Amino acid sequence: MSGVNDGDLLEKMLADSGALLEGHFLLSSGLHSCNYLQCALLLRFPHYAAYVGERLANLIRPSAPDIIASPALGGIIIGHEVARALDVPFIFCEREEGKMRLRRFPAPEGMRFAVIEDVVTTGGSIKEVGEALESLGGKWVASGCIVDRSTENTGLKGELFSLAKKVFPVYKPEECPLCKKGLPLVKPGSKKQRI
Ligand SMILES: [Zn+2]
Protein backbone atom coordinates (compact mmCIF):
# COMPACT_ATOMS: atom_id res chain seq x y z
CA MET A 1 0.00 0.00 0.00
CA SER A 2 2.06 2.92 -1.20
CA GLY A 3 1.47 6.27 0.44
CA VAL A 4 0.18 4.69 3.64
CA ASN A 5 2.62 4.61 6.54
CA ASP A 6 2.91 1.62 8.84
CA GLY A 7 1.12 3.34 11.71
CA ASP A 8 -1.85 4.22 9.54
CA LEU A 9 -1.91 0.72 8.09
CA LEU A 10 -2.11 -0.85 11.55
CA GLU A 11 -4.94 1.55 12.45
CA LYS A 12 -6.75 0.58 9.27
CA MET A 13 -6.32 -3.14 10.02
CA LEU A 14 -7.60 -2.68 13.57
CA ALA A 15 -10.62 -0.80 12.26
CA ASP A 16 -11.29 -3.15 9.29
CA SER A 17 -11.11 -6.26 11.45
CA GLY A 18 -13.42 -4.79 14.07
CA ALA A 19 -10.72 -5.17 16.75
CA LEU A 20 -11.22 -1.66 18.01
CA LEU A 21 -14.65 -1.73 19.58
CA GLU A 22 -16.64 1.27 20.73
CA GLY A 23 -19.42 1.08 23.26
CA HIS A 24 -19.67 0.81 27.01
CA PHE A 25 -17.39 -1.81 28.51
CA LEU A 26 -16.75 -3.13 31.98
CA LEU A 27 -13.00 -3.69 32.35
CA SER A 28 -11.43 -6.34 34.57
CA SER A 29 -10.28 -3.51 36.83
CA GLY A 30 -13.93 -2.64 37.51
CA LEU A 31 -13.62 0.63 35.58
CA HIS A 32 -15.77 1.51 32.59
CA SER A 33 -14.50 2.49 29.15
CA CYS A 34 -15.96 3.46 25.80
CA ASN A 35 -13.22 1.50 24.00
CA TYR A 36 -12.18 -2.12 23.96
CA LEU A 37 -9.40 -3.75 21.96
CA GLN A 38 -9.92 -7.36 20.88
CA CYS A 39 -6.74 -8.28 18.98
CA ALA A 40 -8.08 -11.78 18.22
CA LEU A 41 -10.34 -10.08 15.69
CA LEU A 42 -7.29 -8.60 13.92
CA LEU A 43 -5.26 -11.82 14.13
CA ARG A 44 -8.05 -14.01 12.70
CA PHE A 45 -6.92 -12.74 9.28
CA PRO A 46 -3.63 -14.53 8.58
CA HIS A 47 -2.24 -11.81 6.31
CA TYR A 48 -2.86 -9.20 9.02
CA ALA A 49 -1.22 -11.48 11.59
CA ALA A 50 1.80 -11.96 9.31
CA TYR A 51 2.09 -8.21 8.76
CA VAL A 52 2.07 -7.30 12.46
CA GLY A 53 4.35 -10.25 13.22
CA GLU A 54 6.96 -9.07 10.74
CA ARG A 55 6.85 -5.51 12.03
CA LEU A 56 7.18 -6.63 15.63
CA ALA A 57 10.00 -9.00 14.62
CA ASN A 58 11.89 -6.04 13.15
CA LEU A 59 11.76 -4.32 16.55
CA ILE A 60 12.79 -7.47 18.43
CA ARG A 61 15.55 -8.61 16.02
CA PRO A 62 18.37 -6.43 17.51
CA SER A 63 17.87 -8.22 20.86
CA ALA A 64 18.85 -11.45 19.04
CA PRO A 65 16.54 -13.92 20.82
CA ASP A 66 17.13 -17.66 20.30
CA ILE A 67 13.48 -18.37 21.01
CA ILE A 68 10.12 -16.54 21.30
CA ALA A 69 7.69 -17.23 24.14
CA SER A 70 4.12 -16.07 24.77
CA PRO A 71 1.40 -16.40 27.37
CA ALA A 72 -1.55 -18.55 26.24
CA LEU A 73 -4.00 -17.79 24.77
CA GLY A 74 -3.77 -14.17 23.68
CA GLY A 75 -0.09 -14.20 22.80
CA ILE A 76 0.08 -17.43 20.81
CA ILE A 77 -0.78 -16.24 17.30
CA ILE A 78 1.30 -13.07 17.36
CA GLY A 79 4.20 -14.82 19.14
CA HIS A 80 4.23 -17.53 16.49
CA GLU A 81 4.23 -14.94 13.70
CA VAL A 82 7.16 -13.10 15.30
CA ALA A 83 9.05 -16.39 15.65
CA ARG A 84 8.34 -17.22 12.02
CA ALA A 85 9.68 -13.85 10.87
CA LEU A 86 12.84 -14.33 12.97
CA ASP A 87 13.11 -18.02 12.02
CA VAL A 88 13.46 -19.12 15.64
CA PRO A 89 11.37 -21.62 17.66
CA PHE A 90 8.20 -20.60 19.48
CA ILE A 91 6.99 -21.82 22.87
CA PHE A 92 4.15 -20.79 25.15
CA CYS A 93 3.33 -20.84 28.83
CA GLU A 94 -0.15 -21.54 30.09
CA ARG A 95 -1.92 -21.03 33.34
CA GLU A 96 -2.08 -24.07 35.59
CA GLU A 97 -3.59 -23.73 39.06
CA GLY A 98 -3.31 -19.98 38.73
CA LYS A 99 0.37 -19.92 37.74
CA MET A 100 2.01 -19.47 34.33
CA ARG A 101 3.98 -22.61 33.56
CA LEU A 102 5.90 -24.10 30.65
CA ARG A 103 4.09 -27.41 30.28
CA ARG A 104 4.72 -28.73 26.79
CA PHE A 105 8.27 -27.73 25.92
CA PRO A 106 11.83 -28.36 27.12
CA ALA A 107 13.31 -25.73 29.44
CA PRO A 108 15.02 -22.91 27.48
CA GLU A 109 18.19 -23.32 29.51
CA GLY A 110 20.95 -20.97 28.38
CA MET A 111 18.73 -19.49 25.63
CA ARG A 112 18.00 -15.83 24.99
CA PHE A 113 14.23 -15.39 24.89
CA ALA A 114 11.77 -12.60 24.08
CA VAL A 115 8.20 -12.59 25.39
CA ILE A 116 5.46 -11.52 22.97
CA GLU A 117 1.85 -10.64 23.86
CA ASP A 118 -1.01 -9.14 21.85
CA VAL A 119 -2.02 -6.32 24.20
CA VAL A 120 -0.20 -5.11 27.29
CA THR A 121 -2.29 -3.40 29.96
CA THR A 122 -0.37 -4.02 33.18
CA GLY A 123 2.31 -6.33 31.72
CA GLY A 124 1.36 -8.99 34.26
CA SER A 125 1.19 -11.95 31.88
CA ILE A 126 4.47 -11.09 30.13
CA LYS A 127 6.14 -10.72 33.50
CA GLU A 128 4.90 -14.11 34.65
CA VAL A 129 6.14 -15.81 31.47
CA GLY A 130 9.50 -14.04 31.68
CA GLU A 131 9.99 -15.03 35.30
CA ALA A 132 8.89 -18.63 34.68
CA LEU A 133 11.43 -19.03 31.87
CA GLU A 134 14.20 -17.31 33.80
CA SER A 135 13.63 -19.78 36.62
CA LEU A 136 14.25 -22.52 34.01
CA GLY A 137 17.61 -21.02 33.02
CA GLY A 138 16.61 -18.75 30.12
CA LYS A 139 17.89 -15.21 29.58
CA TRP A 140 15.09 -12.66 29.14
CA VAL A 141 16.29 -10.15 26.53
CA ALA A 142 13.17 -8.31 25.29
CA SER A 143 9.37 -8.05 25.36
CA GLY A 144 6.96 -6.95 22.66
CA CYS A 145 3.27 -6.42 21.95
CA ILE A 146 1.03 -5.17 19.19
CA VAL A 147 -0.64 -2.51 21.31
CA ASP A 148 0.69 -1.06 24.55
CA ARG A 149 -2.19 0.17 26.74
CA SER A 150 -0.10 0.55 29.85
CA THR A 151 -0.35 3.81 31.71
CA GLU A 152 2.24 3.04 34.36
CA ASN A 153 5.68 1.45 34.39
CA THR A 154 5.11 -2.24 33.69
CA GLY A 155 8.27 -3.26 35.57
CA LEU A 156 9.32 -5.54 32.70
CA LYS A 157 12.99 -6.30 32.18
CA GLY A 158 14.54 -4.45 29.26
CA GLU A 159 12.53 -2.54 26.73
CA LEU A 160 8.89 -3.21 25.88
CA PHE A 161 8.54 -2.85 22.12
CA SER A 162 5.12 -2.11 20.65
CA LEU A 163 3.61 -1.16 17.30
CA ALA A 164 1.15 1.31 18.83
CA LYS A 165 0.59 3.05 22.13
CA LYS A 166 -3.07 3.58 23.01
CA VAL A 167 -4.41 5.00 26.20
CA PHE A 168 -8.19 4.95 26.33
CA PRO A 169 -10.15 7.00 28.84
CA VAL A 170 -11.54 4.97 31.73
CA TYR A 171 -14.15 5.95 34.30
CA LYS A 172 -15.14 4.97 37.79
CA PRO A 173 -18.67 3.53 37.61
CA GLU A 174 -20.14 6.36 39.68
CA GLU A 175 -18.56 8.98 37.38
CA CYS A 176 -19.10 7.18 34.06
CA PRO A 177 -20.75 9.43 31.45
CA LEU A 178 -21.95 6.35 29.54
CA CYS A 179 -23.80 5.08 32.61
CA LYS A 180 -25.37 8.53 32.96
CA LYS A 181 -26.61 8.20 29.37
CA GLY A 182 -28.14 4.82 30.28
CA LEU A 183 -26.11 2.82 27.73
CA PRO A 184 -26.05 -0.93 28.51
CA LEU A 185 -22.78 -2.13 30.04
CA VAL A 186 -20.95 -4.95 28.22
CA LYS A 187 -18.38 -7.29 29.73
CA PRO A 188 -16.38 -8.51 26.76
CA GLY A 189 -15.09 -12.06 26.47
CA SER A 190 -13.98 -14.26 29.30
CA LYS A 191 -12.09 -13.14 32.36
CA LYS A 192 -8.86 -14.32 30.73
CA GLN A 193 -9.10 -11.78 27.95
CA ARG A 194 -6.92 -8.71 28.09
CA ILE A 195 -9.35 -5.90 28.67
ZN1 LIG B 1 -20.39 3.15 32.71
Side-chain angles (χ1 to χ4, degrees), residues 24 32 176 178-179 185:
H24 183 200
H32 294 191
C176 176
L178 306 159
C179 281
L185 185 64

